[in-house]
Amino acid sequence: MSSKCLAPEAPSLCNAELVAVVFDLEAIGEGELTPGVLTVRAGEALPSGSLRTDHASLQRGMRHWVESLTGYRLGHTEQLYTFADTLSVGDITRLVRISYLALLHPSVDPRNWLSIYEYFPWEDRRKEGEAHQVGSIARRMMAWALNDATQRTRCAVAFGLEGHEWNDELVLQRYELMWQAGLVPESPDGVGENAIGRAMEHDQRRILATALSRIRAKIRYTPAVFDLLPERFTLFAVQQAVEALAGRPMHKQNFRRLLLGQQLVEETDSLDSNGHGRPARLYRFRRDHVQECYLTGARLPLPSLI
Amino acid sequence: MSSKCLAPEAPSLCNAELVAVVFDLEAIGEGELTPGVLTVRAGEALPSGSLRTDHASLQRGMRHWVESLTGYRLGHTEQLYTFADTLSVGDITRLVRISYLALLHPSVDPRNWLSIYEYFPWEDRRKEGEAHQVGSIARRMMAWALNDATQRTRCAVAFGLEGHEWNDELVLQRYELMWQAGLVPESPDGVGENAIGRAMEHDQRRILATALSRIRAKIRYTPAVFDLLPERFTLFAVQQAVEALAGRPMHKQNFRRLLLGQQLVEETDSLDSNGHGRPARLYRFRRDHVQECYLTGARLPLPSLI
DNA sequence: CCTCTATATGCTCAAAATGAGCATATAGAG
DNA sequence: CTCTATATGCTCATTTTGAGCATATAGAGG
């Protein structure tokens, strides 16, 4: 009855690769923020490496590779997903990729960091006006799906067309639809010339999409944003961070009300005098108090926000 | 710069095991429902087996094992988590366990199915009165944590003590705290006599806890319950299913209002005349309509419900 | 037939949360 | 002193929750 008894064939061994998606926040120009991702090989890949016998755990192995490849030491991390490659004929071993998500406080060193919106330009909808090509992409997608009702619905849902709302968590779905439609460089029968967004090795852009989706979901019911902010920050900085991650603008007064209502932050006596208008008060994340309530895994903070 | 270049040691190979947590709903006595889990070896283990080269994907491999061990063919599945075992000295290969979650419509064949509350009796709080030992467990936990403030807070949060609310999604946290406290049979320095709940091989009870936690989260923003129900059902049956999974009672009229408001179900013309009082109308899940809106991964239905 | 009981279903109402916007406060620039 | 820019405080209509009362419709027992 044991599964071992039922497997007369020797179980095929495999090579486990650990992949890390590390996010932070980058300042780009006039108080503009964008989420940055830590890359290697000039943005072509995520930090990764094989699981070895001297790694005490999956997480440790992943940390080891990030540290030796980029020098960064990670804080809290979270497992994302495990992918298996498709096997070529004759392969003896197969590859399993186990991916992790980590957040880092802003770093002064911009080496190896790239905006995630370089990879997914269509995901940044903070400025409806310029609207990074979203309209054009949506049109190309609907044209592609013209003859298939199922695909057409999927595109409409994914890209917020035909009465559907734009859902910022559908990052992976959008990427995969575009992959199928041949709009990204990795597409199998893609039209390379019109491909959108920067490519990555293997299926790593899928991993990145999964990570973006996860962090967008996570900031809604978790105080995760604070892992990306400095020790002291203004409330508007929190808003800008959430906006940068979610890729959409939000209502300032309501954001403030919600944030203060959650008891997540406490005032300091200092002000931020760098801005143009009235100086903003600096706040501090109540890490101890919040951990007590939520870090155990409980749901809650920042409910709808968006 | 490549990660491969930085790894002079040969990457250690590993054995990937696929583990399935399959849930359904079981009737036990007077209209009582409980979530059942599909097991092998008389409830001692979850269906599992090694990933092989003839498996087209992780998911396919997992399906293969479930089918050959239990005869069940799975529908929609979802990856849960990947665990690595701790390595003993001298081991050449290590084991990586990739776990999946699946839901099945009620089956007539009760073989191999066991109530998840056999493994986690303290998680069923539908009847506050009898309260499966919850009070006693909580007391033992707080006694154990007496000298460590951090542990005491964790226990209070996990078990809903000292002003904290009971959070039904903290299944894994509760299990791990009890493991540390020596209240479960798997505990390292456990007191076997007073151990609570049925044991499982390896760390499979942790996998089961992860699965229960996931499904409890999932039914809140996803129409997942309907994968556990027959084609036609009463609204109260939906409620009982959600209650069985969440392990807590809910308000009947509000549940109904919410469910109907979501446009998730449609009336049929039949009634259910099995009950004692006024016959209840039978409904049908609007699978097509709902898939269009949500199955792409979108959030929503059944918001707070509990 | 009527009555009782059990369940389904319909409806109300106060409290809380949300979405939008107006009003005021406080800095630097001119 | 005035203008502009941003921070911060407050209001109000709408929606969503949470709780419970009231009515409807079946079978059981007289």
Side-chain angles (χ1 to χ4, degrees), chain A residues 236 252-253 256 277-278 280-281:
Chain A
F236 189 52
K252 191 163 175 174
Q253 295 94 320
R256 160 179 279 275
R278 169 175 171 179
R281 180 162 300 281

Side-chain angles (χ1 to χ4, degrees), chain A residues 276-295:
Chain A
H276 276 210
R278 169 175 171 179
R281 180 162 300 281
L282 288 171
Y283 287 79
R284 179 189 301 120
F285 178 46
R286 298 178 62 191
R287 197 168 294 277
D288 42 346
H289 166 261
V290 172
Q291 280 188 347
E292 187 181 295
C293 303
Y294 306 113
L295 221 144

Side-chain angles (χ1 to χ4, degrees), chain B:
Chain B
M1 260 312 194
S2 153
S3 61
K4 279 160 196 158
C5 301
L6 286 179
E9 310 86 347
S12 59
L13 292 175
C14 60
N15 187 347
E17 191 175 58
L18 303 165
V19 185
V21 181
V22 187
F23 287 142
D24 81 343
L25 286 173
E26 306 277 326
I28 43 169
E30 277 303 307
E32 290 278 305
L33 276 185
T34 189
V37 59
L38 184 58
T39 62
V40 296
R41 260 171 285 161
E44 277 185 14
L46 298 167
S48 67
S50 287
L51 171 65
R52 296 197 318 220
T53 33
D54 58 324
H55 293 148
S57 67
L58 296 176
Q59 187 156 156
R60 291 294 191 80
M62 183 269 299
R63 283 166 192 276
H64 160 82
W65 284 115
V66 171
E67 231 173 296
S68 60
L69 289 168
T70 70
Y72 284 100
R73 180 161 300 207
L74 302 180
H76 175 256
T77 66
E78 176 180 331
Q79 200 182 95
L80 259 186
Y81 204 80
T82 300
F83 303 87
D85 62 340
T86 48
L87 212 61
S88 314
V89 190
D91 281 353
I92 298 298
T93 63
R94 70 191 307 161
L95 184 63
V96 171
R97 285 202 179 84
I98 305 163
S99 57
Y100 277 82
L101 171 66
L103 305 178
L104 274 187
H105 288 266
S107 132
V108 278
D109 173 17
R111 269 182 314 163
N112 303 337
W113 293 96
L114 265 162
S115 165
I116 53 173
Y117 298 129
E118 294 244 340
Y119 298 97
F120 308 109
W122 58 86
E123 292 293 343
D124 187 1
R125 314 198 6 141
R126 280 175 288 180
K127 295 173 185 158
E128 204 52 56
E130 64 187 67
H132 277 290
Q133 323 163 358
V134 194
S136 128
I137 293 178
R139 242 175 290 116
R140 283 166 76 184
M141 290 303 296
M142 289 310 273
W144 165 75
L146 199 59
N147 301 315
D148 183 338
T150 310
Q151 292 295 50
R152 221 167 43 238
T153 318
R154 280 195 192 145
C155 288
V157 173
F159 290 90
L161 307 170
E162 300 180 355
H164 295 273
E165 291 266 299
W166 173 269
N167 181 328
D168 47 83
E169 292 179 32
L170 302 184
V171 186
L172 185 58
Q173 284 86 340
R174 281 187 283 270
Y175 174 72
E176 296 203 323
L177 282 170
M178 290 176 64
W179 186 87
Q180 287 173 41
L183 297 200
V184 295
E186 297 95 336
S187 296
D189 35 43
V191 267
E193 345 127 30
N194 293 319
I196 307 164
R198 183 192 265 262
M200 271 193 162
E201 283 183 0
H202 311 303
D203 56 353
Q204 292 197 345
R205 199 147 69 139
R206 289 187 63 217
I207 298 181
L208 187 57
T210 307
L212 180 54
S213 189
R214 176 74 63 91
I215 189 66
R216 282 183 171 181
K218 206 173 157 66
I219 50 173
R220 300 198 174 192
Y221 56 91
T222 279
V225 223
F226 300 107
D227 287 341
L228 294 166
L229 293 171
E231 184 63 22
R232 299 136 143 278
F233 45 78
T234 67
L235 295 186
F236 189 52
V238 184
Q239 178 179 345
Q240 284 179 307
V242 174
E243 286 178 336
L245 290 168
R248 49 162 64 180
M250 339 211 291
H251 186 284
K252 191 163 174 175
Q253 294 94 320
N254 290 345
F255 185 91
R256 158 181 280 275
R257 174 177 63 187
L258 222 43
L259 200 52
L260 292 174
Q262 302 289 156
Q263 311 281 310
L264 290 175
V265 294
E266 61 189 0
E267 284 189 8
T268 70
D269 2 274
S270 3
L271 298 175
D272 171 44
S273 15
N274 294 329
H276 276 211
R278 171 175 171 180
R281 181 162 299 281
L282 288 170
Y283 288 79
R284 179 188 300 121
F285 178 45
R286 299 178 61 191
R287 198 169 292 277
D288 44 345
H289 167 262
V290 172
Q291 278 187 349
E292 187 182 294
C293 301
Y294 307 114
L295 221 144
T296 337
R299 77 173 37 241
L300 209 159
L302 312 192
S304 70
L305 270 188
I306 302 170

